């Protein structure tokens, strides 16, 4: 029995999509959706956890910042798997996000201010291979997260 | 919908908060309320036990930042204990071990409080 053949057959995911309203109680639905897809591809469990967390952070930021906690916004999560690369594209129609304006996290500052900001973005950048933002003003914002199966450990 | 709950144990001077389930932007307010209640009762020596916590996102980590200065101003502390490797890695990645003492077990954290009295 050739294991390599088996593994290829197991990968059914080509493209999947999920749309939810911009409410924090939908975060677990998004996490489950991504968990199942990443598991189907065959990522090691620690890497699946990291991918799920990165996507949670992206969606949390969309709910809080793009939609400013307005619960009726739309979040679309699109998954692709091609050439060993798992790509998550998350689309919203809220306020465009300017990633350059988010400084790297500084815990000493948070300590004094009693709050945090930018942790999610730092986690996304740390946990994924690629994090890309695209905004088409008045149309949509998109964040792309990707992870390569070959380099994932 | 992900489940998250807290329970508390009053062990004399020290209060232990047990976290269970999934701590994210949706459930962070549950932990905020638990911590506020303790602070309202002037309970400032707090151990947080993570052994039944399956998941944490940055919204959950942020809760600890909201209260820590007030607690320390009152000669208290929040000590963290019992994290899985998965949860610890997130704290570590964000530099939290510089600001918080993290222990393997609840007992170790309680002992540390007792030593420093």
């Amino acid at each position: 029995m050739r294991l390599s053949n088996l593994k290829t057959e197991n990968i059914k995911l080509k493209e999947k999509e999920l749309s939810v309203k911009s409410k924090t109680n939908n975060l677990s639905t998004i996490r489950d959706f991504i968990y199942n897809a990443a598991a189907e591809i065959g990522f090691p469990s620690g890497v699946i956890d990291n991918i799920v967390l990165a996507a949670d952070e992206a969606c949390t930021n969309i709910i809080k910042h793009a939609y400013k906690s307005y619960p009726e916004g739309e979040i679309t999560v699109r998954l692709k798997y091609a050439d060993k690369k798992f790509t998550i594209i998350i689309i919203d129609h809220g306020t465009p996000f300017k990633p350059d304006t988010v400084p790297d996290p500084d815990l000493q500052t948070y300590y004094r201010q009693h709050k945090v900001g930018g942790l999610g973005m730092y986690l996304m950048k740390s946990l994924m291979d690629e994090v890309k933002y695209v905004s088409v003003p008045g149309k949509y914002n998109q964040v792309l997260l990707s992870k390569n199966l070959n380099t994932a450990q | 919908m992900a489940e998250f709950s807290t329970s508390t144990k009053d062990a004399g001077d020290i209060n232990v908060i047990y976290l269970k389930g999934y701590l994210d932007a949706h459930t962070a307010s549950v932990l905020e309320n638990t911590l506020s209640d303790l602070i309202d009762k002037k309970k400032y020596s707090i151990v947080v036990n993570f052994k039944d916590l399956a998941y944490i996102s940055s919204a959950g980590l942020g809760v600890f930042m909201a209260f820590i200065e007030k607690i320390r101003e009152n000669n208290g502390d929040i000590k963290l204990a019992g994290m899985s490797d998965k949860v610890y890695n997130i704290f570590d990645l964000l530099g939290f071990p510089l600001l918080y003492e993290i222990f393997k077990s609840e007992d170790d954290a309680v002992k540390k409080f007792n030593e420093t009295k």
Side-chain angles (χ1 to χ4, degrees):
Chain A
M1 190 189 294
R2 285 189 313 192
L3 276 172
S4 57
N5 280 357
L6 261 183
K7 192 147 197 185
T8 318
E9 279 165 16
N10 281 340
I11 297 168
K12 296 179 198 107
L13 173 84
K14 289 221 169 64
E15 244 184 281
K16 283 186 182 176
E17 193 175 294
L18 171 78
S19 284
V20 296
K21 296 285 182 203
S22 51
K23 299 174 186 172
T24 52
N25 64 0
N26 285 326
L27 289 169
S28 62
T29 309
I30 295 167
R31 289 198 299 267
D32 290 346
F33 176 63
I34 288 166
Y35 183 96
N36 291 335
E40 207 172 289
I41 290 165
F43 280 104
S45 70
V47 178
I48 298 175
D49 292 339
N50 290 344
I51 294 171
V52 166
L53 176 58
D56 176 324
E57 298 293 347
C59 294
T60 298
N61 281 347
I62 288 168
I63 293 168
K64 287 191 175 170
H65 304 299
Y67 288 121
K68 300 180 173 67
S69 300
Y70 166 72
E72 295 299 320
E74 189 95 339
I75 298 175
T76 301
V77 182
R78 207 167 280 158
L79 309 180
K80 282 182 199 166
Y81 182 68
D83 304 324
K84 303 270 174 190
K85 191 165 104 168
F86 182 45
T87 305
I88 304 169
I89 290 170
I90 306 168
I91 295 160
D92 71 77
H93 300 90
T95 308
F97 174 64
K98 297 186 184 74
D100 304 340
T101 61
V102 179
D104 277 343
D106 174 11
L107 285 185
Q108 299 297 338
T109 307
Y110 300 151
Y111 188 88
R112 289 191 300 270
Q113 296 176 348
H114 305 168
K115 61 176 185 179
V116 296
L119 290 184
M121 204 156 129
Y122 180 79
L123 282 176
M124 282 185 257
K125 286 191 214 159
S126 305
L127 299 174
M128 302 301 282
D129 295 336
E130 256 182 315
V131 180
K132 280 188 200 157
Y133 288 89
V134 178
S135 278
V136 180
K139 295 206 166 150
Y140 67 91
N141 311 302
Q142 173 183 302
V143 52
L144 178 153
L145 307 168
S146 79
K147 192 82 182 170
N148 196 292
L149 181 62
N150 286 342
T151 55
Q153 46 188 303
Chain B
M1 196 165 94
E3 296 286 324
F4 174 76
S5 63
T6 65
S7 56
T8 55
K9 180 174 86 178
D10 192 336
D13 293 340
I14 299 158
N15 282 256
V16 185
I17 303 177
Y18 298 89
L19 310 182
K20 189 172 182 189
Y22 295 78
L23 180 52
D24 64 5
H26 189 62
T27 58
S29 60
V30 175
L31 178 58
E32 270 170 21
N33 292 338
T34 307
L35 277 164
S36 304
D37 285 350
L38 287 177
I39 290 166
D40 288 348
K41 291 181 200 150
K42 304 202 184 308
K43 306 283 191 185
Y44 299 119
S45 297
I46 299 166
V47 173
V48 182
N49 189 329
F50 284 74
K51 79 178 163 58
D52 293 320
L53 189 77
Y55 176 84
I56 191 165
S57 73
S58 69
L61 277 87
V63 176
F64 296 101
M65 290 310 257
F67 297 96
I68 189 67
E69 194 173 23
K70 166 129 201 212
I71 285 172
R72 286 183 183 159
E73 278 169 3
N74 286 282
N75 298 317
D77 198 13
I78 300 176
K79 297 190 196 296
L80 314 176
M83 288 179 191
S84 65
D85 288 348
K86 171 184 159 180
V87 168
Y88 177 79
N89 286 341
I90 305 308
F91 275 86
D92 191 37
L93 195 54
L94 294 173
F96 275 62
L98 285 174
L99 277 178
Y100 296 85
E101 283 190 292
I102 302 176
F103 297 86
K104 282 252 178 272
S105 73
E106 181 188 318
D107 283 352
D108 291 345
V110 170
K111 257 182 223 159
K112 185 65 189 280
F113 266 122
N114 289 329
E115 277 168 18
T116 46
K117 256 172 211 156

